[in-house]
Amino acid sequence: MKALLRTTLLLCVMSALLFSPAAFAQDSGASSPNAEAAPADTRGIDIDVTLGVKRKLIPMAIPKALEPGGDTGKIAQTVHDTLARDMKLAGFFKVLDEGNFFFDTSQEGMGASAIGFSNWFNVGAQGLIKSSVRTNGDQVVLDLRLYLVEEGKPARLDWKGGSFSKDEYIKQVHAFANEVLKYYTGKPGIFGSRIAYVRQQKRNKQIYAMRLGEEGVAKITNNNSINMLPSFGPGGAIYYTSYQAGNPDLWVYEGGKSRKLSSVRGQNTGADYCNGKLALTLSKDGSNSDIYLIDPSSGKIAQRLTDHWAIDTSPSWSPDCSKIAFTSGRSGGPQIYVMNADGSNQRRLTYQGSYNTQPSWSPSGNLIAFSARDERGAFDIFTVNLEGSIERLTQDQGNNSDPAFSPDGRYLVFISDRGGKGKRVWMMTADGEVQNAITEGSGYQSPAWE
């Protein structure tokens, strides 16, 4: 029994090290016939943010919501604040300061004939979002419209107002915001989409899920243990690794319940699903960490993809499920590699810097985001294309890590401790130009976008 406990403790320590710089430092001095030559550059990655043409933001006016039926309590204010926040997070709009509205916006109506477009033109608006809110018992009656100020006419959107329950109306506000993005960019927005994350509470870490732009979160795990590395599967399932049984096992949350999916002795971490295939990191029986495929239903091992003396971890599927990006220490320090879905053609992708980890393959397939230690010892977010060309997205704003692409590839969520407020979840446009915090408080880790 004592031997088993010692082995379990050793595996737990290995698990903690796997995602720490120490893990790769341990391997850096090892020798193997399969080892690649250690890189000459052992410094942090030394690339500045590209000073390109800044994106032009569309000036958008969002006056207070009208309340034609009288006071709606907080509902009208919530509708206004949700619209303003969505437009700010979208990264395509500059929400105009309401303090510069020099006229009484409450005297305008919702129709074009009742709007003073010259006033809106003079405050610099190109777009104008008008909102009207009434309550009728338990129902909220919404009327939301986008106007083109210069033309003095409404934009045609695939959204219709109406009467919605108090549990539904915020979803409708997000749906309208998504249509505004579609009108200007050709693609709908991602408001209302789900993001899972880890949050530390005292000595425990729990998995949560939230919908972008909405208040309230769903608690996925509720145990006195460490739960980490969530990722989404089919039908809204959430994979995660939990120590609740003493070993870092892979669990899946689906249909409101959690069940253990993979519990080989040692690591069962970092699962990533793609079209019926589930890749994850296993360190079977205390052996070195490698990447495997397992059956998403039974958890049985289907195929071993890597077999190297160094740590191989953090698999991330390409959008067509034909390739996998992963982190490997086989070159003397953690670097980003790619391989075919069957494990063949493994090749190194990053050659700058000495600590590059946490790959996340973009939905468009042409970029892989990752976090790296820079030349000053801080962690930042970068992207690399399949030819190895690297772009920097964050710089001089604390430590930034754990990147994950949005479903449409236009945004990334990540963890940042900037501003002295602890680790929060942030969201940025894929070019890094617009960045905003999307959570309050601290202690956040490992965001994943459904």
Side-chain angles (χ1 to χ4, degrees), residues 292-314:
Y292 292 75
L293 294 181
I294 66 170
D295 186 294
S297 299
S298 67
K300 292 182 179 178
I301 294 176
Q303 186 178 357
R304 182 172 186 163
L305 300 182
T306 66
D307 187 2
H308 199 278
W309 59 267
I311 291 174
D312 295 328
T313 186
S314 305

Side-chain angles (χ1 to χ4, degrees), residues 47-49 374-376 380-382 391-395:
I47 296 175
D48 289 330
V49 168
D374 70 7
E375 73 281 6
R376 291 179 289 276
D380 275 304
I381 309 295
F382 299 78
E391 297 283 346
R392 185 170 191 154
L393 301 183
T394 62
Q395 188 171 20

Side-chain angles (χ1 to χ4, degrees), residues 328-343:
S328 178
R330 65 186 65 181
S331 57
Q335 297 289 345
I336 307 302
Y337 285 72
V338 294
M339 62 181 168
N340 293 337
D342 62 1

Side-chain angles (χ1 to χ4, degrees), residues 147-214:
Y147 283 99
L148 310 177
V149 172
E150 290 188 16
E151 291 85 344
K153 65 180 184 181
R156 291 181 177 273
L157 303 181
D158 188 17
W159 184 89
K160 291 184 178 180
S163 183
F164 308 99
S165 71
K166 290 184 177 178
D167 293 331
E168 180 70 18
Y169 78 95
I170 286 297
K171 294 179 181 177
Q172 289 297 322
V173 176
H174 289 311
F176 173 83
N178 288 337
E179 286 300 314
V180 172
L181 257 72
K182 183 179 179 181
Y183 179 84
Y184 283 104
T185 70
K187 292 182 179 180
I190 37 68
F191 298 106
S193 60
R194 284 204 305 169
I195 297 171
Y197 58 85
V198 175
R199 191 169 190 192
Q200 184 164 2
Q201 296 175 322
K202 297 182 179 179
R203 300 179 62 181
N204 299 326
K205 296 181 179 180
Q206 305 293 345
I207 308 292
Y208 295 84
M210 65 178 181
R211 291 194 178 276
L212 181 62
E214 296 183 12

Side-chain angles (χ1 to χ4, degrees), residues 273-297:
Y273 177 89
C274 192
N275 195 25
K277 300 177 181 178
L278 187 60
L280 83 165
T281 302
L282 299 177
S283 57
K284 290 181 60 181
D285 301 321
S287 64
N288 191 35
S289 298
D290 278 297
I291 296 173
Y292 292 75
L293 294 181
I294 66 170
D295 186 294
S297 299

Side-chain angles (χ1 to χ4, degrees), residues 62 137 148 156 160 172 193 214 218 240 242 351 416 444 446:
I62 309 176
L148 310 177
R156 291 181 177 273
K160 291 184 178 180
Q172 289 297 322
S193 60
E214 296 183 12
Y240 61 95
S242 177
Y351 286 86
S416 180
Y444 293 87
S446 306

